[in-house]
Structures are given as structure tokens and as C-alpha cells.
Amino acid sequence: MKRTCIFVQVTQHGSMVTAYAFDQDRIRVGRDPQSDVVLPSPDVSRLHCRLERQENGVEVHLVDSGSSNGTRVNGARVDRRHLESGDAIQIADYQLWIQLLDSHKASLIAQAEDNCNAPTLPRP
């Protein structure tokens, strides 16, 4: 079955904070240190939202966890939203840039990062 690899670049005030590559089906985003993507701000809920890979292995949805300050995708406040490559999720003063790649492209990027010892994720 074809699976999508989920790349998340985190920026704050326009500066790169970190980047992640996920192959798991559920990604937790929040200020809780146990979250998969930790956003350490009092304006971020402990479990702010989740990114969930759907059963087909390709589609990814964002699900807000009832956060106090809300979650925005491409500027619109959402409770649940299908994500596409290039979408920007805004949580407080953080932006999470999403890239969805098939497993073959993801492995090529990982190999290039290992060979160059530098991140090669596209900058939004």
C-alpha cells in the first residue's frame, strides 16, 4: 500500500525552529513535552491538534482538539481539514509548513540529508 511521509517545518516569527519527518499515523501537536511536535508557548494548548493519516495511507487530516485559541490552515480557522502539500498551519505565533511525499521521494530526501549532513526540505 502506498503511504505518505509527512514533513513538518516549524517556523516562529518567520525564523526556522525545527523540521520533522513522520511515518506514523497520528502526530500530536501541542505544548505538552510528550507531543510529537512541541510548541512551548502558553498560547498553545497541551494537546492543540493532531495530524491523522487516513486508512488509505495517503490522505492526511488536521483535527483541532478543542483548543482555546484555535488552529488555522492557510488563514482560515478550522476544526477539521484535509491537508495538502504546501498548507500552512498557524498555531499561536508558530507556523507549521506541511509537505506530503510518497515514500520513494521521502527516502531520496532522507538519503540526500544523510549524504550532505544538511536539511534539504523545501523552504516555504
Side-chain angles (χ1 to χ4, degrees):
M1 175 193 281
K2 184 177 177 183
R3 285 180 60 88
T4 299
C5 186
I6 304 164
F7 287 96
V8 179
Q9 289 180 287
V10 180
T11 62
Q12 184 180 32
H13 305 295
S15 296
M16 179 74 153
V17 175
T18 191
Y20 302 91
F22 294 104
D23 188 38
Q24 64 205 53
D25 291 333
R26 179 175 281 185
I27 300 159
R28 297 164 302 161
V29 180
R31 80 166 185 271
D32 187 317
Q34 298 299 316
S35 296
D36 301 302
V37 177
V38 179
L39 305 176
S41 166
D43 295 326
V44 177
S45 297
R46 285 178 46 83
L47 175 58
H48 200 92
C49 65
R50 298 179 310 279
L51 306 180
E52 297 181 347
R53 184 190 331 269
Q54 301 305 293
E55 287 184 23
N56 65 12
V58 178
E59 292 181 27
V60 176
H61 291 178
L62 175 139
V63 180
D64 185 86
S65 300
S67 62
S68 301
N69 294 319
T71 304
R72 296 183 177 276
V73 176
N74 301 329
R77 189 167 176 158
V78 299
D79 291 323
R80 182 177 184 90
R81 166 98 181 240
H82 171 82
L83 295 176
E84 301 281 343
S85 278
D87 281 345
I89 301 168
Q90 184 169 356
I91 300 172
D93 57 354
Y94 293 94
Q95 288 215 317
L96 285 67
W97 300 91
I98 304 300
Q99 293 293 323
L100 306 175
L101 299 175
D102 66 47
S103 56
H104 177 69
K105 287 181 184 174
S107 66
L108 291 176
I109 288 174
Q111 184 179 16
E113 287 178 345
D114 288 345
N115 291 339
C116 298
N117 211 9
T120 58
L121 293 175
R123 174 82 189 212

